[in-house]
């Protein structure tokens, strides 16, 4: 297949720091960018060697492109994705797919109706570390799964302390930003999320935006003919000196992944059973975003599936929205 031709929707940090390189490394060609500001669009295009820059989404959608990558702020994803799909473009959309599951559901339905690929740019489920965990669980290495714990507490870099913290910014806060990523890893591993309870707080003195910057969440998962599974997540913008990790506990063992939730592939998988603890060999050479972009290109070509499909993005959003509602109401929130 010839190289996918891309348009970028959003002159964002994540496009600049990760995804432009990943598109190019996966064989794609980027035509240009649309931004809300002409100056930012021009600067971004110049910095990244793009031919075109515009402030008009319809102009970008009229270009000779196959796919768009959406990395605008979260409140814009739904409208931009639907417009791109209706213009016949495949869509790789940043997480969270939308601000509300009904919108994400509509995006998924529209892509299916039009026969286009819609994927969520969740970089973690495609990680070889998480693929190995799913493989170990599926082959029964730890017996029946009982519980899982995600440590995803980080210090939000100074450059990202903008819209994520503002209470008036739709789609802000740690839960939509990080818990959503955790769910993208836990959902394919543990089954169907059916209920969520969360507590969220504001901790950092530099967080003057008013949004929650730390949250702990418990998710109940169900799977046919299996006991229910409990998963617990700790997500934070405020913790500067901690590693990220994933633990999965089963009736016959525990899997522990060190550096499980970062943007880089490097990490370690440890399996503990009656026989002791051993280091599981995992090839961590490929960049996580390149893995995602390659999978997206294969899905467009019809030879593969995205790392996180639109439906996977929808399910991750459902967990995050339920966590957000639980944190606000103090109630356990069911997921339909
Ligand atoms: P940014 O704040 O860098 O960009 C988001 C939007 O903010 C841009 O589209 C841009 O609007 C606007 N913007 C950027 N810089 C400026 C500026 N200096 N002044 C005014 N406006 C500006 O966000 P992120 O890159 O951190 O996040 C973008 C999306 O990507 C979010 O949905 C986020 O959840 C997701 N994300 C995903 C990650 C992953 O690993 N999958 C990691 C990080 C983020 P315009 O386009 O109009 O110029």
């Amino acid at each position: 297949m010839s190289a996918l031709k891309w348009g970028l929707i959003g002159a964002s940090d994540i496009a600049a720091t990760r995804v432009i390189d990943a598109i190019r490394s996966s064989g794609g060609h980027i035509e240009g960018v649309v931004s809300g500001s002409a100056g930012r669009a021009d600067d971004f295009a110049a910095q990244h060697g793009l031919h075109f820059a515009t402030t008009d989404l319809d102009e970008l959608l009229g270009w000779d492109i196959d796919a768009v990558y959406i990395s605008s702020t979260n409140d814009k994803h739904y409208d931009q994705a639907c417009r791109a799909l209706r213009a016949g473009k495949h869509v790789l959309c940043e997480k969270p797919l939308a601000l509300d599951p009904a919108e994400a559901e509509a995006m998924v339905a529209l892509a299916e109706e039009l026969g286009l690929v819609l994927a969520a740019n969740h970089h973690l489920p495609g990680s070889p570390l998480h693929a190995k965990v799913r493989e170990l669980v599926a082959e029964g290495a730890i017996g029946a799964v009982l519980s899982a714990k995600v440590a995803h507490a980080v210090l939000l870099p100074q450059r990202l302390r903008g819209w994520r913290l503002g209470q008036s910014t739709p789609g802000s806060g740690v839960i939509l930003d990080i818990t959503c990523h955790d769910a993208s890893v836990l959902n394919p591993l543990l089954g169907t999320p059916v209920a969520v309870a969360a507590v969220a707080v504001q901790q950092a003195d530099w967080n003057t935006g008013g949004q929650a910057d730390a949250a702990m969440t418990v998710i109940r998962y169900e799977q046919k003919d299996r006991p229910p599974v409990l998963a617990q997540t700790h997500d934070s913008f405020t913790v500067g000196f901690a590693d990220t990790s994933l633990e999965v506990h089963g009736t016959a063992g525990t899997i522990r992944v060190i550096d499980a939730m970062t943007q880089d592939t490097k990490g370690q998988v440890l399996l503990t059973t009656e026989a002791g603890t051993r280091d599981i060999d995992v090839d961590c050479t490929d960049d996580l975003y390149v893995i995602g972009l390659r999978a997206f290109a294969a899905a467009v070509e019809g030879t593969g599936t995205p790392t996180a499909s639109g439906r996977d993005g929808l399910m991750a959003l459902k967990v995050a929205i339920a966590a957000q509602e639980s944190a606000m109401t103090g109630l356990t929130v069911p997921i339909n």
Side-chain angles (χ1 to χ4, degrees), residues 61 78-91 106-107 110-111 113-114 116:
L61 295 174
Y78 169 67
D79 176 59
Q80 292 170 335
C82 291
R83 286 171 66 184
L85 288 167
R86 285 197 196 98
K89 312 302 176 192
H90 303 284
V91 173
M107 289 159 74
L110 184 62
E113 180 193 323
L114 296 172
L116 294 163

Side-chain angles (χ1 to χ4, degrees), residues 10-15 34-37 40 69 71-74 77 94-96 121-123 160 163-164 177 181 263 289:
S12 69
D13 183 84
I14 186 68
V34 63
S35 158
S37 138
R40 215 161 48 240
Y69 166 60
S71 63
S72 51
T73 47
N74 301 335
H77 294 176
E94 267 307 342
K95 44 54 66 171
N121 196 37
H122 281 294
H123 61 292
L160 300 183
W163 59 265
R164 277 179 177 77
D177 205 52
H181 273 311
Q263 290 183 302
Y289 294 87

Side-chain angles (χ1 to χ4, degrees), residues 2-28:
S2 55
L4 271 189
K5 285 182 271 184
W6 289 83
L8 304 182
I9 302 181
S12 69
D13 183 84
I14 186 68
T17 54
R18 300 279 174 171
V19 178
I20 288 176
D21 281 351
I23 289 175
R24 289 174 173 155
S25 300
S26 67

Side-chain angles (χ1 to χ4, degrees), residues 26-85:
S26 67
H29 178 80
I30 306 170
E31 296 292 333
V33 63
V34 63
S35 158
S37 138
R40 215 161 48 240
D42 288 341
D43 289 350
F44 196 86
Q47 265 167 26
H48 299 286
L50 313 179
H51 299 308
F52 302 109
T54 179
T55 55
D56 181 354
L57 179 57
D58 288 329
E59 186 188 336
L60 178 140
L61 295 174
W63 293 341
D64 177 21
I65 53 173
D66 308 298
V68 297
Y69 166 60
I70 299 176
S71 63
S72 51
T73 47
N74 301 335
D75 53 318
K76 298 197 178 82
H77 294 176
Y78 169 67
D79 176 59
Q80 292 170 335
C82 291
R83 286 171 66 184
L85 288 167

Side-chain angles (χ1 to χ4, degrees), residues 296-313:
F296 185 90
V300 169
E301 201 182 9
T303 57
T305 52
T307 296
S309 66
R311 203 158 283 284
D312 295 329

Side-chain angles (χ1 to χ4, degrees), residues 24 70 78 91 161 171 180 205 225 267 271:
R24 289 174 173 155
I70 299 176
Y78 169 67
V91 173
R161 293 177 189 174
C180 180
D205 55 8
D225 303 327
L271 173 64

